[in-house]
């Protein structure tokens, strides 16, 4: 089924997100004299309140900011494992892999609020209470539950400390989140110390005896880093370097541009070559992605050339042996800046644990760690876990802003963004055409296990893909199946394009009912 695509144009600014209330909050920042960073933080804060089944102040965040003049600014606000982290202890408890739900080891120090503050402190122009005002109002006064929040609410029924989300929540029912309102007020008036050193921080310290320390919470989780980049399809592509898996987008795009990729995306060869590129680079991820990974090695042209030769020869990738969800993406733009921002609880409400009496759910991003002491991403104090979050930004070769784009979708994020980039830059499609097009994803046993060693992920197709894809891919040796209409697997994606005349064109995800793009 083809859904109408929320699309807009504008010359002053633009905001795309999964919820119209958040997009409007961001657009009001632009209309009131703020910039794209103010708009991004305002949008993100509203989403943290009204969409706790995707993200929140207990999660992580990454962002790219295009200045229109050279490389983008790049922010890694993913939290670190606490000082009490111990893979040995978890193995002694009988765990063979990182726990995911209702276990404090799944929780790393949440970096989302540090990320908001780092963005605002460096680039925001409006005062912070105003930027967070809409989010505070929704938390304090209430908001109507979306159908997606209502359908997920049973997941947190009975969770200790969950005073906000009833398990039998109905769509349209008013939800109030007083703990989130207190936390937002603390951030707005007292900054990070009032949040990490206040009620929220106390809740983390009380989560498990000795796991988190005051020193853990006193350490800022947001770092400005150098963005990872490659040249592809006549543009420069950018993302966050490891511990993010975003390098898979860049490697697959660089690989694919050397293949005979059709410019008509209805041709099954278009899907085939992109699938092969994604599979060639992605299959190595389990053994190589960590916060210590060298992005220059991962994006080495010689390595990508070697993988391309294997693809052209029809040889499957041969990864070396390994030693030993839910998310929301948004983008904003104004006449000078573009922002690509993604924040997440990892799986839905995250760990299903709550920070004290705040009602704020804590993510389970620790699921990315390994318990194998020989693995480069072994669970240990101060380590950042391998992350699925993969925001993307495009500039011209001269460094001018061209596009911001991204999606939720766990392991599928690089695959969806790769398809969006190929449609935008290689096929020259509009944002509305790109967002409305059917997608393929490589489907693993779950959203965080696509690249399980020994598992060859089949190709799952959305119902509205071109008719020729299924037969054409099967004839090329792919195991093909249907995906159904499940945006948790095929992504909540958004895209804003900066046209050559400086105007903006954007589209929001049609696979979720409340998604909205607002252009001014």
């Amino acid at each position: 089924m083809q859904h109408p695509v929320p699309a807009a144009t504008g010359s002053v600014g633009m905001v795309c997100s999964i919820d119209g209330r958040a997009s409007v909050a961001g657009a009001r920042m632009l209309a009131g004299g703020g910039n794209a960073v103010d708009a991004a933080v305002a949008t993100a804060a509203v989403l943290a309140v009204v969409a706790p089944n995707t993200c929140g102040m207990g999660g992580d965040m990454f962002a790219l900011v295009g200045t229109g003049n050279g490389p983008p600014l790049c922010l890694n606000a993913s939290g670190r494992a606490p000082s009490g982290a111990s893979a040995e202890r978890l193995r002694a408890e009988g765990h063979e892999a990182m726990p995911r739900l209702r276990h404090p080891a799944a929780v790393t120090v949440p970096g989302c609020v540090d990320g908001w503050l780092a963005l605002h402190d460096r680039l925001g122009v409006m005062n912070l209470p105003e930027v967070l005002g809409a989010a505070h109002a929704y938390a304090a006064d209430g908001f109507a539950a979306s159908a997606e929040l209502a359908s997920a609410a049973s997941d947190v029924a009975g969770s200790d400390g969950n005073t906000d989300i009833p398990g039998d929540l109905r769509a349209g029912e008013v939800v109030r989140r007083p703990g989130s309102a207190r936390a937002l007020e603390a951030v707005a008036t007292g900054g990070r110390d009032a949040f990490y050193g206040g009620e929220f921080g106390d809740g983390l310290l009380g989560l498990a005896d000795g796991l988190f320390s005051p020193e853990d919470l006193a350490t800022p989780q947001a770092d400005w880093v150098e963005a990872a980049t490659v040249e592809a399809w006549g543009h420069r592509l950018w993302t966050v370097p490891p511990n993010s898996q975003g390098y898979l987008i860049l490697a697959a795009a660089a690989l694919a541009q050397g293949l005979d990729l059709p410019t008509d995306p209805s041709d099954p060869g278009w899907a085939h070559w992109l699938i092969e590129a994604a599979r060639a680079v992605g299959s190595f991820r389990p053994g190589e992605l960590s916060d210590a990974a060298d992005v220059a090695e991962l994006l080495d042209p010689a390595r990508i050339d070697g993988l391309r030769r294997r693809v052209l020869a029809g040889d499957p990738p041969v990864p070396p042996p390994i030693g030993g969800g839910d998310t929301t993406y948004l983008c904003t733009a104004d006449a000078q800046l573009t922002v690509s921002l993604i924040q997440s609880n990892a799986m839905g409400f995250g760990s299903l644990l709550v920070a004290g009496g705040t009602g704020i759910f804590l993510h389970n991003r620790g699921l990315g760690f390994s318990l194998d002491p020989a693995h480069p991403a072994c669970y240990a104090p101060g380590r950042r876990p391998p992350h699925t979050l993969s925001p993307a930004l495009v500039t011209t070769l001269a460094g001018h802003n061209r596009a911001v784009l991204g999606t939720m979708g766990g392991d599928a994020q690089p695959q969806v963004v790769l398809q969006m980039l190929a449609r935008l830059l290689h096929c020259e499609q509009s944002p509305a055409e790109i967002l409305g097009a059917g997608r393929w994803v490589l489907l693993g046993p779950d959203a965080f296990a696509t690249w399980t060693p020994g598992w060859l992920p089949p190709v799952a197709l959305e119902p509205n893909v071109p008719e020729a894809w299924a037969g054409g891919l099967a004839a090329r040796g792919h195991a093909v199946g249907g995906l159904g209409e499940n945006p948790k697997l095929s992504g909540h994606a958004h895209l804003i394009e900066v046209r050559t005349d400086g105007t903006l064109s954007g589209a929001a995800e049609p696979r979720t009912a409340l998604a909205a793009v607002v252009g001014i």
Side-chain angles (χ1 to χ4, degrees), residues 13-32 35 38-47 50 126 130-131 133-135 138 330-332 508 514-520:
M14 188 167 289
V15 181
C16 295
S17 82
I18 61 165
D19 194 299
R21 294 166 292 194
S23 296
V24 167
R28 285 175 175 164
M29 295 298 102
L30 295 170
N35 63 20
D38 297 311
V41 175
T43 304
V46 170
L47 291 172
V50 304
M126 301 191 77
E130 189 169 5
V131 171
Y138 282 122
L330 64 95
C331 48
T332 64
L514 293 180
V517 52
V518 180
I520 59 174

Side-chain angles (χ1 to χ4, degrees), residues 106 176 179 201 232 241 264 441 451 468:
R176 292 180 176 83
D264 178 5
V441 298
W451 306 115

Side-chain angles (χ1 to χ4, degrees), residues 49 133-144 173-178 180-181:
V49 172
H136 182 274
Y138 282 122
D141 301 334
F143 60 91
E173 187 174 343
V174 174
V175 175
R176 292 180 176 83
R177 306 192 64 197
S180 293

Side-chain angles (χ1 to χ4, degrees), residues 268-359:
W270 185 88
H272 165 70
W273 288 123
L274 292 180
I275 290 166
E276 290 299 294
R279 181 174 281 153
V281 300
S283 59
F284 291 85
R285 194 201 122 174
E288 68 189 10
L289 179 57
S290 75
D291 59 355
D294 185 342
V295 71
E297 292 182 4
L298 297 175
L299 297 177
D300 185 346
R303 177 189 181 182
I304 292 172
D305 286 345
L307 291 173
R308 186 185 299 111
R309 286 194 296 271
R310 295 191 66 90
V311 167
L312 289 170
D315 294 335
V318 184
I322 299 174
D326 272 5
T327 298
T328 189
Y329 172 79
L330 64 95
C331 48
T332 64
D334 62 31
Q336 285 79 40
L337 302 175
T338 56
V339 180
S340 185
L341 186 153
I342 191 164
Q343 60 187 26
S344 173
N345 290 334
M347 295 173 61
F349 289 95
S351 64
L352 307 185
L353 300 173
V354 175
T358 64

Side-chain angles (χ1 to χ4, degrees), residues 202-224:
D202 290 343
L204 270 180
L205 293 175
L207 192 64
D209 186 31
L211 183 62
F212 291 88
S213 72
E215 291 74 23
D216 295 332
L217 304 187
T219 302
Q221 303 300 305
D223 295 316
W224 293 100

Side-chain angles (χ1 to χ4, degrees), residues 262 265-273 275-276 279 440 459 461 465-481:
S266 66
D267 186 325
W270 185 88
H272 165 70
W273 288 123
I275 290 166
E276 290 299 294
R279 181 174 281 153
W440 57 262
V459 179
L461 303 179
V465 300
E467 197 171 316
W469 275 19
L473 289 173
R476 289 168 170 83
H478 296 279
V480 179

